């Protein structure tokens, strides 16, 4: 079964998405997500100019060989642009293989390990009261796990807090917005959010929080300790992880479970974190970490060290990523949780899919493949719009992590 065409489709149904469609001479096609938020066109060029010419004529069934060909063959390894492009090819090829086998993708991976995929939703508010209300709404919708973020007094904006309560979209400006950040104000405020949440909802709902890479290890240690009485499911991205050893300090001080990895692109980004058991959940995902072929290797290494998966699932990962991730989640033995930030109706219409939400779990359909398609005609109605993530500055103007 030969690959005869590789189409790169760029569309902006409310936000930008890059999608790869691989077509074969058997009449089967596969879809992969190639969206890298704020740097979309770099992946478009990588795929169109450098990957597509090498794919034409190759056997679509040789997923592993094509993965190695694109990874080793480039000479320049790793990095988010390369790995997102490889991921798109890999996801499309798994889609094709599953369609050729007449099976939903999870069957090819080894079958179901669980009945459904537990997901967490995003509650946020300008203040504690609003966030508490939103958490209540998610509980009413059936969610078992909720990420809670809230505004910080005296900071005009905070990561994760949006006006539209179901859809958080930080990449909203044609040039990066400049936000203000204060670690002191944040650290003084956040524990009281979780105190209030536990007082209101009791011990049952899983509560999560994302610090979005803004703390140093010792600051993260302080937050982790302060949150211990509220038994979080996880504290996410407390520290940037370029220096994996930095997590040792956090780990030595707190029993709050730690999650990291949404920006990781290969197993090398988390080798030390996993081998030293410095984290509890690895957030690498299909689209940014080399597709199912590579994510499976990360998950296997994680499982040796008691680390579970918690794949990234923000709105900038298209429904194609979500579909592929759900098949992966259904199979992976060391599954933890899946992030599920809902897409807008406009996005859902461009990407028809068969996954459904019920009682806090996502379920995939039984159709062959990963169950997500793209309506190319509709996609063509929404041309690309440049959009950047914000940047953060401290009070004195110093550029900081967003
Ligand atoms: O593109 C950046 C977003 O995906 C990121 O800010 C979302 O941190 C995020 C999360 O946990 O979903
Ligand atoms: Mg995050």
């Amino acid at each position: 079964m030969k690959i005869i065409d590789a189409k790169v489709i760029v569309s902006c149904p409310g936000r930008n998405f890059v999608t790869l469609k691989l077509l074969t001479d058997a009449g089967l096609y596969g879809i992969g997500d190639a969206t890298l938020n704020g740097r979309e066109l770099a992946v478009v060029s990588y795929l169109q100019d450098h990957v597509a010419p090498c794919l034409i004529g190759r056997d679509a069934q040789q997923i592993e060989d094509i993965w190695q060909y694109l990874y080793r063959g480039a000479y320049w390894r790793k990095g988010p642009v390369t790995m997102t492009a490889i991921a798109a090819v890999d996801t499309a090829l798994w889609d094709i293989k599953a369609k050729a086998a007449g099976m939903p993708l999870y069957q090819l991976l080894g079958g179901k390990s669980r009945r459904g995929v537990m997901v967490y939703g995003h509650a946020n508010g300008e203040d504690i009261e609003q966030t508490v209300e939103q958490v209540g709404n998610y509980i009413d919708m059936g969610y078992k796990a909720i990420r809670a973020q809230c505004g910080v007094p005296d900071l005009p904006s905070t990561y994760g807090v949006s006006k539209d309560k179901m859809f958080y979209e930080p990449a909203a400006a044609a040039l990066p917005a400049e936000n203000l950040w204060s670690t002191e104000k944040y650290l003084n405020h956040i524990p009281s959010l979780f105190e209030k949440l536990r007082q209101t909802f009791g011990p049952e709902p899983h509560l999560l929080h994302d610090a979005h890479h803004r703390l140093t290890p010792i600051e993260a240690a302080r937050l982790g300790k302060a949150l211990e009485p509220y038994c979080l499911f996880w504290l996410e991205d407390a520290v940037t992880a370029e220096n994996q050893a930095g997590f040792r300090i956090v780990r030595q001080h707190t029993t709050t479970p730690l999650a990291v990895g949404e920006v990781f692109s290969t197993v090398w980004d988390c080798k030390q974190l996993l081998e030293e058991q410095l984290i509890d959940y690895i957030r690498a995902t299909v689209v940014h970490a080399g597709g199912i072929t590579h994510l499976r290797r990360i998950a296997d290494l994680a499982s040796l060290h008691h680390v579970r998966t918690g794949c990234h699932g923000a709105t900038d990962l298209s429904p194609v990523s979500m579909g592929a991730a759900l098949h992966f989640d259904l199979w992976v033995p060391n599954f933890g949780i899946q992030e599920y930030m809902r897409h807008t109706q406009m996005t859902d219409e461009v990407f028809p899919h068969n996954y459904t939400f019920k009682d806090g779990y996502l379920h995939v359909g039984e159709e062959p493949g990963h169950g997500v398609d793209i309506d190319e005609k509709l996609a063509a109605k929404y041309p690309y719009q440049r959009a950047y993530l914000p940047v953060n500055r401290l009070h004195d103007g110093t550029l900081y992590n967003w």
Side-chain angles (χ1 to χ4, degrees):
M1 192 190 344
K2 296 225 178 319
I3 300 172
I4 54 167
D5 198 5
K7 283 182 169 180
V8 183
I9 304 156
V10 185
S11 175
C12 186
R15 71 154 356 276
N16 291 314
F17 292 110
V18 179
T19 309
L20 177 70
K21 181 168 182 175
L22 294 182
L23 295 97
T24 67
D25 60 2
L28 293 174
Y29 65 86
I31 308 278
D33 182 19
T35 310
L36 185 62
N37 205 5
R39 295 293 184 271
E40 295 86 357
L41 300 186
V43 187
V44 172
S45 166
Y46 195 106
L47 282 170
Q48 259 167 1
D49 299 332
H50 304 293
V51 171
C54 307
L55 290 179
I56 308 306
R58 256 168 225 291
D59 182 354
Q61 301 191 79
Q62 294 187 346
I63 300 179
E64 187 64 50
D65 183 66
I66 291 177
W67 195 96
Q68 300 294 338
Y69 183 84
L70 295 176
Y71 184 79
R72 293 170 195 262
Y75 185 65
W76 311 105
R77 298 180 181 206
K78 308 192 288 180
V81 175
T82 297
M83 298 310 290
T84 301
I86 294 178
V89 175
D90 188 77
T91 307
L93 291 177
W94 277 103
D95 193 25
I96 291 171
K97 198 181 260 308
K99 284 174 178 166
M103 291 177 184
L105 176 52
Y106 71 80
Q107 292 289 13
L108 290 190
L109 298 173
K112 281 188 189 184
S113 300
R114 53 196 55 80
R115 282 190 296 277
V117 174
M118 183 170 73
V119 296
Y120 68 90
H122 284 217
N124 64 82
E126 298 290 332
D127 54 27
I128 290 178
E129 206 174 290
Q130 274 185 23
T131 303
V132 170
E133 192 186 319
Q134 286 304 317
V135 169
N137 289 344
Y138 275 91
I139 291 173
D140 291 346
M141 282 187 272
Y143 281 79
K144 310 280 179 258
I146 303 122
R147 189 187 89 166
Q149 308 289 134
C150 89
V152 175
D154 301 332
L155 291 186
S157 65
T158 309
Y159 167 76
V161 178
S162 70
K163 292 214 164 49
D164 188 327
K165 290 299 165 225
M166 293 307 286
F167 317 103
Y168 175 57
E169 190 47 83
L175 283 174
E178 302 236 340
N179 293 351
L180 184 66
W181 177 249
S182 160
T183 298
E184 293 81 359
K185 291 181 196 301
Y186 168 79
L187 286 179
N188 287 338
H189 190 61
I190 288 303
S192 47
L193 167 66
F194 286 91
E195 183 184 17
K196 187 75 190 166
L197 287 170
R198 283 294 177 220
Q199 275 169 5
T200 313
F201 301 107
E204 193 137 330
H206 297 309
L207 297 176
L208 299 81
H209 182 69
D210 189 350
H212 220 255
H213 317 280
R214 297 188 181 182
L215 307 176
T216 64
I218 203 67
E219 290 163 352
R222 172 181 151 192
L223 181 61
K225 271 172 90 165
L227 293 175
E228 276 172 24
Y230 316 117
C231 299
L232 265 61
F233 187 92
W234 79 34
L235 171 61
E236 173 182 336
D237 289 351
V239 183
T240 56
E242 290 105 317
N243 177 5
Q244 298 179 42
F247 271 76
R248 286 188 190 136
I249 294 174
V250 193
R251 198 58 152 176
Q252 281 157 8
H253 286 89
T254 181
T255 57
T256 294
L258 303 172
V260 73
E262 65 185 40
V263 301
F264 293 177
S265 35
T266 71
V267 70
W268 300 101
D269 294 330
C270 50
K271 183 173 177 288
Q272 187 179 5
L273 290 171
L274 298 176
E275 288 176 346
E276 289 189 32
Q277 239 163 274
L278 299 178
I279 56 171
D280 301 280
Y281 296 92
I282 179 71
R283 284 185 40 74
T285 190
V286 175
V287 56
H288 298 135
I292 286 176
T293 297
H294 194 65
L295 189 60
R296 199 160 60 163
R297 304 221 152 95
I298 295 176
D300 281 344
L301 180 61
S303 79
L304 300 182
H305 301 282
H306 307 284
V307 176
R308 287 180 277 179
T309 63
C311 292
H312 189 200
T315 35
D316 49 293
L317 283 66
S318 89
V320 179
S321 276
M322 183 55 75
L326 291 173
H327 285 266
F328 179 83
D329 294 336
L330 215 46
W331 156 73
V332 71
N334 49 325
F335 172 74
I337 200 165
Q338 168 69 50
E339 180 179 15
Y340 176 44
M341 220 197 258
R342 286 167 190 255
H343 290 107
T344 60
Q345 196 185 335
M346 213 192 294
T347 298
D348 283 342
E349 282 166 7
V350 168
F351 297 98
H353 54 265
N354 67 11
Y355 55 81
T356 49
F357 175 86
K358 190 162 185 276
D359 295 335
Y361 291 80
L362 278 173
H363 302 274
V364 298
E366 289 297 311
E367 291 83 6
H370 58 44
V372 188
D373 209 339
I374 181 163
D375 180 336
E376 289 183 69
K377 272 201 189 126
L378 194 56
K381 290 191 179 157
Y382 304 112
Y384 168 77
Q385 287 177 25
R386 195 177 70 201
Y388 286 97
L389 289 166
V391 298
N392 257 337
R393 287 190 189 276
L394 305 180
H395 275 97
D396 68 357
T398 306
L399 196 91
Y400 196 62
N401 311 328
W402 178 75

